[in-house]
Amino acid sequence: MKECIFCDRESLEIIAENDLALAFFDACPVSEGHALVIPKRHVETYFDATPEEHGAISLLAGVVKDMLEKELNPDGYNIGANIGPAAGQTVFHFHMHIIPRYRGDVEDPRGGIRKVIPNRSCPRHCNEEKLH
Ligand code: AMP
Ligand code: ZN
């Protein structure tokens, strides 16, 4: 295995942990408070983690959310994982992004992670204001 930056704990700004998972701030945050939650065990993707690791990651995501609420009081969150290069994954140690969102941080936030492929409008026009 090539060296893994997320297995090199010294380089991470760890903010919380439990028996199977670790949380730390993203080195290049896309919003204030952007954090990552990972299994302590090296696995490449979401689908390689065990149910126990998924449980630990979910619990830790809740802990991180409570910390962010106290410190930054965001208005919302996007959480998710990139799985494979085609989906944008660049670090091949599974990590869940926790991205706090703030009212007005983008002009039109509707759709959130549904907009990872830009300019794909729904043929049924579900995203159009008039239908909501
Ligand atoms: P992805 O593109 O989903 O694989 O995300 C990788 C994430 O890891 C990016 O958001 C990077 O900014 C972040 N990252 C890379 N190296 C580090 C590091 N040493 N500490 C914290 N975050 C990192
Ligand atoms: Zn690793």
Side-chain angles (χ1 to χ4, degrees), residues 5-6 11-13 24-30 34 36 81-82 88-93 95 97:
I5 48 173
F6 289 175
S11 71
L12 308 175
E13 197 186 335
F24 51 93
F25 285 121
D26 195 291
C28 297
V30 299
H34 179 181
L36 302 174
N82 297 325
Q89 186 172 5
T90 60
V91 175
F92 294 90
H93 181 137
H95 47 283
H97 291 266

Side-chain angles (χ1 to χ4, degrees), residues 44-128:
E44 277 201 10
T45 80
Y46 175 95
F47 294 112
D48 300 315
T50 63
E52 291 75 20
E53 286 166 330
H54 282 297
I57 287 164
S58 287
L59 284 172
L60 204 56
V63 170
V64 171
K65 184 239 184 210
D66 290 344
M67 293 171 77
L68 294 171
E69 296 284 308
K70 281 202 194 99
E71 305 272 321
L72 299 168
N73 196 30
D75 300 303
Y77 297 88
N78 295 112
I79 62 173
N82 297 325
I83 299 157
Q89 186 172 5
T90 60
V91 175
F92 294 90
H93 181 137
F94 165 41
H95 47 283
M96 178 195 282
H97 291 266
I98 300 180
I99 301 175
R101 297 297 303 274
Y102 303 90
R103 227 168 266 121
D105 61 4
V106 297
E107 197 178 321
D108 179 7
R110 286 178 309 157
I113 58 170
R114 283 197 281 111
K115 292 201 246 178
V116 289
I117 300 177
N119 306 319
R120 288 289 295 263
S121 63
C122 170
R124 287 177 288 127
H125 306 291
C126 298
N127 292 326
E128 289 184 12

Side-chain angles (χ1 to χ4, degrees), residues 1 4-7 42-43 92-93:
M1 185 184 82
C4 170
I5 48 173
F6 289 175
C7 284
H42 180 93
V43 295
F92 294 90
H93 181 137

